Amino acid sequence: MKLTQWLEARLARTPPPWTVGEVRIFPGYLLAHREDAPEDSRLRHLLGWEAFLDLVRFDAAGRFRPLRGAPGLRKGWRRGPLSIDELFADLRVLYPGAVALLAEWETKRLAPTPFSETARRQTGLYEVTRQLPEEDLPALVEQICVRGCLRRPLWHAPAPQPEEQEAVPLLCPEACHFFLHKARSRAALRAAA
Amino acid sequence: MRSSGGRALVLAGHGSMFSPESALPIYQHAASLRTSGAFEAVYECFWKEEPSYRNVLYEVEEERVYLVPDFLSHGYFTREVLPREFGLVGPVTRRNSCEIRYCEPPGRHPRMADAILEQALRALGEIHCRDVALLLVAHGTDRNENSAETAREQAERIRRSGRFAACDVAFLEQDPCVSGWRGLVGSQDLVVVPFFLSEGKHSYTDIPRMMGLARDPRDPEFRNPQETEGGRRVYYAGSAGMAPVVDQVILAQVEAFDEAHPMA
């Protein structure tokens, strides 16, 4: 089954609207920020991939959002009606890999990578993350992943039950670059102390 | 990764946690190649943004995957990081029912000279290029000769074309340094093309500052050409990787790979 078909079937299993991270999908398919109503005439109708990418990559203050799972998606826009292919493409821009990772997870084909393994693989700038003491990990995960990201770090703790209204829970199978960057600073501080 | 036949292009860029410009050419190349119809699907992935090199293959549904490092030359990322993160074992890697074909970076293809020319001609406008020298400015590093070598090869192609009065190469972090451009370039007028994939600190700030130019490209008062002492005029072009023709260079690298590694 192709991923677009899988997504369509997944959505059909639960009543709309469907929540994914900070967006909500309405039948049709219409896409808007979860705190906006798609029928609100004040919403800007976003057309084209460049405008959408721009929306996703910058917050309301114009700051760059390198981590797509971080909360802070701008409000005041809508997309659609979209085909299932277009919806899938938009979700790829909003939360890269989210649909594919969930499909793998639900078919038991997603094996999370423990942090020790990720760190061991690193060379160059991030090689120092190998020295991060294991007892420092929970605090970093709390700061970066729990408070700073909507994805669930499967590589650190078992996946909790998804919220019922969440159509596509955002999963994270391996520590991302953002995490490695922070872990590097922490490990360097430790080494200096 | 689930196979449904067909071929996919995976463009692997560097990305940045701080500079939004870094990933832009990769998005642009991907968007253009999606409309070309050459592939069933085109995917972007990044070292420092999302999706990561590690996660992108979960999304790929095609049987044959052309992995193109969207870089201008070989180096640490193309030789070490990408092969490691994608689990490559050589130019062709089989994984389940999928085949990953690891192509050369676009910057190494002979057609990359077209991208440099395109940027230079755009900066020159109506000015005849035979009267102007082209200065290609690359990063360069004493730790890896590949970056400099690729820039020199492209400059040699442009020199051989005879379209410019001269074509020279200078670097940010190795000799000849771009700060010495006055002694390096003989012509009165020159067009400067940054040999970078994206715009950013190097093209917007470092090169203009090291050349002693009065304005950088983000200055609202920036105009081509800029007059420098001695009446020399400098035309400042966009980075080579931002030229629209680069998507065709990526396609050319895919074709070159198939010629070098015919399908079984």
Side-chain angles (χ1 to χ4, degrees):
Chain A
M1 184 188 282
K2 282 185 69 77
L3 280 170
T4 45
Q5 296 166 325
W6 185 90
L7 174 64
E8 199 167 27
R10 185 70 162 70
L11 295 179
R13 271 166 38 193
T14 53
W18 302 281
T19 302
V20 182
E22 288 187 284
V23 299
R24 199 160 280 170
I25 306 162
F26 296 83
Y29 296 99
L30 300 171
L31 194 60
H33 192 281
R34 65 188 292 174
E35 292 176 20
D36 287 333
E39 62 275 12
D40 187 339
S41 59
R42 291 168 302 176
L43 298 185
R44 189 159 62 103
H45 191 190
L46 271 185
L47 297 169
W49 69 270
E50 281 167 308
F52 191 54
L53 189 64
D54 201 60
L55 170 100
V56 171
R57 298 183 84 217
F58 298 92
D59 68 13
R63 286 179 300 243
F64 180 42
R65 297 176 70 233
L67 186 63
R68 303 279 172 88
L73 185 69
R74 271 183 276 171
K75 300 175 194 168
W77 55 273
R78 71 184 169 87
R79 296 268 283 175
L82 304 168
S83 68
I84 189 67
D85 288 338
E86 290 166 334
L87 174 67
F88 180 74
D90 276 7
L91 290 178
R92 277 198 70 230
V93 174
L94 279 161
Y95 300 111
V99 174
L101 289 169
L102 183 64
E104 294 288 306
W105 180 249
E106 293 198 342
T107 49
K108 314 264 187 251
R109 289 183 301 190
L110 184 67
T113 307
F115 181 73
S116 56
E117 203 176 302
T118 305
R120 203 163 44 242
R121 222 179 50 237
Q122 302 307 311
T123 54
L125 202 59
Y126 297 114
E127 194 173 320
V128 70
T129 58
R130 298 175 193 176
Q131 295 169 25
L132 185 76
E134 207 169 309
E135 61 266 26
D136 283 13
L137 206 53
L140 269 180
V141 170
E142 174 65 26
Q143 179 203 336
I144 298 159
C145 310
V146 177
R147 280 185 275 145
C149 186
L150 300 170
R151 293 186 193 266
R152 293 168 192 178
L154 302 177
W155 51 271
H156 181 69
Q161 288 302 308
E163 290 175 41
E164 271 185 18
Q165 70 269 38
E166 212 172 9
V168 179
L170 304 176
L171 306 177
C172 172
E174 181 165 2
C176 69
H177 227 92
F178 199 77
F179 189 92
L180 283 174
H181 182 75
K182 299 287 184 187
R184 171 181 169 256
S185 306
R186 181 85 156 229
L189 272 178
R190 280 281 204 166
Chain B
M1 186 160 53
R2 66 218 60 226
S3 171
S4 64
R7 60 184 214 159
L9 174 69
V10 174
L11 285 177
H14 188 281
S16 167
M17 283 183 288
F18 307 104
S19 167
E21 287 99 349
S22 174
L24 275 185
I26 289 94
Y27 287 117
Q28 283 165 0
H29 301 155
S32 168
L33 289 165
R34 273 187 197 109
T35 60
S36 76
F39 304 93
E40 267 69 32
V42 178
Y43 305 86
E44 313 93 344
C45 61
F46 303 95
W47 177 234
K48 294 211 170 182
E49 293 183 43
E50 295 180 81
S52 67
Y53 296 162
R54 293 277 290 174
N55 285 348
V56 71
L57 288 182
Y58 288 115
E59 301 189 274
V60 174
E61 300 182 90
E62 289 71 27
E63 197 171 288
R64 207 178 329 138
V65 179
Y66 292 90
L67 172 60
V68 176
D70 212 345
F71 287 77
L72 289 190
S73 66
H74 272 305
Y76 172 63
F77 288 98
T78 63
R79 296 287 197 212
E80 188 173 327
V81 176
L82 267 162
R84 180 188 77 208
E85 298 293 289
F86 279 90
L88 304 181
V89 296
V92 178
T93 301
R94 293 189 185 282
R95 185 181 294 178
N96 303 324
S97 56
C98 164
E99 182 179 273
I100 303 172
R101 299 170 74 77
Y102 188 38
C103 306
E104 290 283 301
R108 296 203 68 217
H109 196 278
R111 284 201 64 190
M112 194 65 199
D114 295 344
I116 297 164
L117 287 174
E118 199 170 281
Q119 296 296 63
L121 295 176
R122 181 175 298 163
L124 287 171
E126 300 295 312
I127 304 299
H128 202 287
C129 53
R130 285 294 295 273
D131 305 326
V132 177
L134 192 153
L135 180 63
L136 190 62
V137 184
H139 191 282
T141 165
D142 291 333
R143 288 173 296 169
N144 184 336
E145 188 52 26
N146 285 324
S147 155
E149 198 48 45
T150 305
R152 288 194 198 101
E153 284 170 8
Q154 298 298 359
E156 178 57 28
R157 287 188 181 102
I158 292 166
R159 208 174 292 130
R160 280 203 309 265
S161 77
R163 294 187 66 177
F164 286 82
C167 183
D168 299 292
V169 186
F171 302 97
L172 289 178
E173 290 192 6
Q174 73 178 68
D175 290 332
C177 180
V178 66
S179 57
W181 67 272
R182 286 178 183 84
L184 194 66
V185 181
S187 300
Q188 181 75 359
D189 296 343
L190 69 154
V191 58
V192 177
V193 181
F195 193 57
F196 291 90
L197 189 77
S198 64
E199 303 296 1
K201 183 173 169 289
H202 294 321
S203 64
Y204 284 152
T205 309
D206 297 341
I207 299 172
R209 181 178 48 79
M210 290 172 81
M211 291 185 71
L213 301 180
R215 302 192 188 284
D216 69 57
R218 283 189 297 192
D219 186 329
E221 301 291 310
F222 171 86
R223 299 282 183 280
N224 269 325
Q226 294 192 59
E227 293 262 353
T228 66
E229 72 263 31
R232 298 185 74 170
R233 286 180 297 188
V234 176
Y235 295 82
Y236 199 82
S239 285
M242 299 298 286
V245 76
V246 176
D247 54 2
Q248 296 306 306
V249 183
I250 291 168
L251 267 184
Q253 283 297 33
V254 168
E255 287 163 12
F257 186 93
D258 279 346
E259 281 170 25
H261 305 274
M263 252 80 70

